[in-house]
Each structure stands twice: as structure tokens, then as C-alpha cells.
Amino acid sequence: MVEWCLPQDIDLEGVEFKSMASGSHKIQSDFIYFRKGPFFGLACFANMPVESELERGARMKSVGILSPSYTLLYRYMHFLENQVRHQLETPGHYSHLAAFYEDKKGVLHAGPGRGGSLRPVYWLPSIHRYMYPEMKFFGEQILILWKFALLRKRILIFSPPPVGVVCYRVYCCCCLANVSLPGIGGTIPESKPFFYVNVADIESLEVEVSYVACTTEKIFEEKRELYDVYVDNQNVKTHHDHLQPLLKINSADREKYRRLNEQRQMLLYSQELEEDYGRCEEDLFVLFFLEQNNRIFQTLLEVSASQDKTLTAEHARGMGLDPQGDRSFLMDLLEAYGIDVMLVIDNSCCP
């Protein structure tokens, strides 16, 4: 139940299920990013044992905030963590929360018109220390997720609680699809982080054509109409036949992964030598995929503006793609972004 809120006239239906992930009773603390209508939320959860039969031996609460943009929420994580502990130890005292609301309501409501449409590359400098471990978690599979993210597929990540770290995986997947070239993406849905979702979100997910989300509820796996790509641990899968070729790691993917790790090692080495921590691993990661995406779309735009509009195997290699292994991906990409070129890469013939 929602115990207390400000302002009191806001629609919070279902928010109690978003701010406490299913299965949270098994853990001591967590944090959760989520969406509620046009707003993004951050809630901090804590679980405290109590000697009370009425509360069945445990008191569990979440304290959260809603904002039109998710880019500012991280700043208030520490406050929310302190407040949920305070609410567990001295229930019913809301003066700190009321003062916080009065102080921050102007800041939290001054977001961009399209909610979280700010490029994720600008998001959360203070959470960067969490981000690269999440990328290492996916290993080479990150290249598969990259393709699905660029194609704006509906990506659902399953994990048992705690869910906070999985919310970062959602954010990381959105980062994979960054493109900074003008004129790209006008015909395709924006990359939307939905963060944590549960069964109460099924109706809203049914109408979405593109999103990245995470859940702790295994029942979602059976609801195939809600997603295109399902990620369970490091296992990335799709039930769509036409997307099956994208699940295979090819030679160009391995080369990209090798370069990404090589650049990371060089960065770590330069930091050791110069103690220069101006650039972090996560900036490197985000820029790596941004540059990769820009290179692909720059080539596609140049070919579409040429006289014969012919995209060859040489072009594919120049974009860092495998002419054979990425043929299906390229065809999907051209269709998704409405780019008018002719692909003249034949299917390979295996002896």
C-alpha cells in the first residue's frame, strides 16, 4: 500500500508494486528504477526484522521519488536510502520527506518535454563505477544486444532480486544505440528505458513497439507477445525466426570485442602511468559504440546519396561488419531506418 505521498493529488495507482520488486522479501535492501506514466521513478527498499506477529517478523518499506526525467534521480539515492531506514526505525514521521519535496519539486519537475529522451550518454556520472562490470557480465553477447538495441527491438532482461544492478543493464543496453548524426532515427522509435516492470505493466507493454526493461517475474518468459528478445543471465534468445541469425557471434563481432577490450587495457595502463582519471572505462564504452554506430550510418547515408545506391561487401567491412554474418542485420537495419540502398552481398555458399 502507499502509506504517504506528496502531492496528494497525483495518480500513483500500481506504484507500490513498482517500488518493491517481486521477491524483495528475500533480500535486505535494494534500489529500483521504474516508469509510471510520463514519469520515471527511483525507490530505495529496505527490509528490517521486527518482533511483531502483526508484521510477521519483518517490516519492509520503500521510499521513492518521481520525475519527468531519469537523468537527475541518481542524485537523491543517498537521501532515499537514509529515509527508508528512518521510516523502518521510526514509522510515521514524514517531516524530512515533506521538506525534501518542497525544496526539490521545482528541480524534479523541470525535465525535458519527452521524459527520458536525453541521450543516455549524459546520464549518471556517479554510477559509472557500476556500469563497466555490467558490460563485462555480458561478455561477447554485448554485440548481440547492440544489434537488437540498434534495431529498437523489445528487450526484456530477467533476473531475481536485487534488481538495482539489473536496472543498470537496462541503461547500458540503451547506451548501445546512441547515434549522434543528424537525420538518423526520425523514422524509428526512441530507445526507451522502462527499467523495472512487473505483471501490472503487461497492458502498457502490449502497445509498445520498442523498449528495454527488466523484471524479477519469470512468468514474463511465457508471454512472448510482449517481447522480441529475452535475456536470462547471459543467455540472449529470441522466439522470432527472422531474428535467429542475429544470435550468432561472427568474426567482425569478435574483432569489435577484441578492440573494445584492447582500448580498455590501454586506458587502464595510461591511468596507471599518469594517474589521469579524467576518462573512465564507461566513457570509453559509450563512445566506442557511438563511434561504431556513427560509422555505420555515415556509410549508409553516403551510399543512399550515391547514384547507384549499391551497398557492397567492401562497404560492410568498412563499417566494421561481417558481409556474410551481418547480412540479415544489415537488411533489418535498412528497413527499420528507412534507408534506400541496394544490398549486393550474396549469401555465402558452404562447400
Side-chain angles (χ1 to χ4, degrees), residues 233-245:
N233 205 0
Q234 287 150 302
N235 183 24
V236 181
K237 55 188 179 181
T238 177
H239 53 276
H240 296 299
D241 289 343
H242 73 283
L243 294 178
Q244 294 296 329

Side-chain angles (χ1 to χ4, degrees), residues 27-249:
I27 58 174
Q28 294 305 304
S29 62
D30 200 1
F31 63 93
I32 305 165
Y33 284 90
F34 59 90
R35 281 184 74 154
K36 168 62 181 159
F39 296 102
F40 290 88
L42 168 63
C44 287
F45 165 84
N47 181 353
M48 183 176 80
V50 290
E51 292 181 11
S52 162
E53 283 187 28
L54 184 66
E55 294 178 275
R56 292 187 289 184
R59 183 177 296 157
M60 291 174 274
K61 290 180 186 275
S62 273
V63 177
I65 51 178
L66 292 172
S67 169
S69 168
Y70 56 78
T71 56
L72 296 176
L73 292 175
Y74 76 96
R75 295 183 184 179
Y76 310 111
M77 177 96 74
H78 188 60
F79 171 79
L80 295 174
E81 286 172 339
N82 286 337
Q83 284 304 303
V84 74
R85 184 55 53 187
H86 176 69
Q87 289 299 320
L88 287 174
E89 292 166 359
T90 56
H93 294 268
Y94 310 117
S95 57
H96 292 307
L97 295 175
F100 173 88
Y101 174 75
E102 289 304 322
D103 184 43
K104 305 293 187 206
K105 61 183 177 183
V107 178
L108 287 167
H109 285 84
R114 292 179 69 195
S117 62
L118 288 176
R119 280 209 173 88
V121 73
Y122 302 119
W123 189 48
L124 309 197
S126 77
I127 65 120
H128 273 161
R129 69 181 185 279
Y130 296 103
M131 186 174 158
Y132 201 82
E134 291 318 303
M135 291 304 91
K136 286 193 287 190
F137 170 84
F138 285 124
E140 284 186 344
Q141 300 284 305
I142 196 67
L143 277 311
I144 293 173
L145 286 172
W146 163 64
K147 293 174 192 179
F148 286 131
L150 260 190
L151 293 173
R152 297 294 195 271
K153 296 303 177 186
R154 298 170 299 167
I155 301 172
L156 185 61
I157 303 171
F158 167 80
S159 176
V163 80
V165 67
V166 195
C167 289
Y168 288 142
R169 290 175 200 159
V170 170
Y171 158 63
C172 292
C173 283
C174 289
C175 282
L176 298 174
N178 283 341
V179 182
S180 62
L181 296 179
I184 288 294
T187 60
I188 198 162
E190 63 176 309
S191 185
K192 281 187 187 175
F194 266 57
F195 299 111
Y196 176 71
V197 295
N198 60 19
V199 289
D201 295 298
I202 286 175
E203 212 171 284
S204 61
L205 289 178
E206 281 173 341
V207 298
E208 290 295 333
V209 293
S210 172
Y211 69 80
V212 187
C214 61
T215 189
T216 57
E217 299 186 25
K218 195 73 174 170
I219 192 168
F220 269 96
E221 187 173 7
E222 300 165 20
K223 299 189 175 297
R224 293 179 161 194
E225 70 281 3
L226 296 178
Y227 62 84
D228 302 308
V229 181
Y230 188 83
V231 185
D232 184 349
N233 205 0
Q234 287 150 302
N235 183 24
V236 181
K237 55 188 179 181
T238 177
H239 53 276
H240 296 299
D241 289 343
H242 73 283
L243 294 178
Q244 294 296 329
L246 274 67
L247 295 176
K248 293 175 185 166
I249 296 281

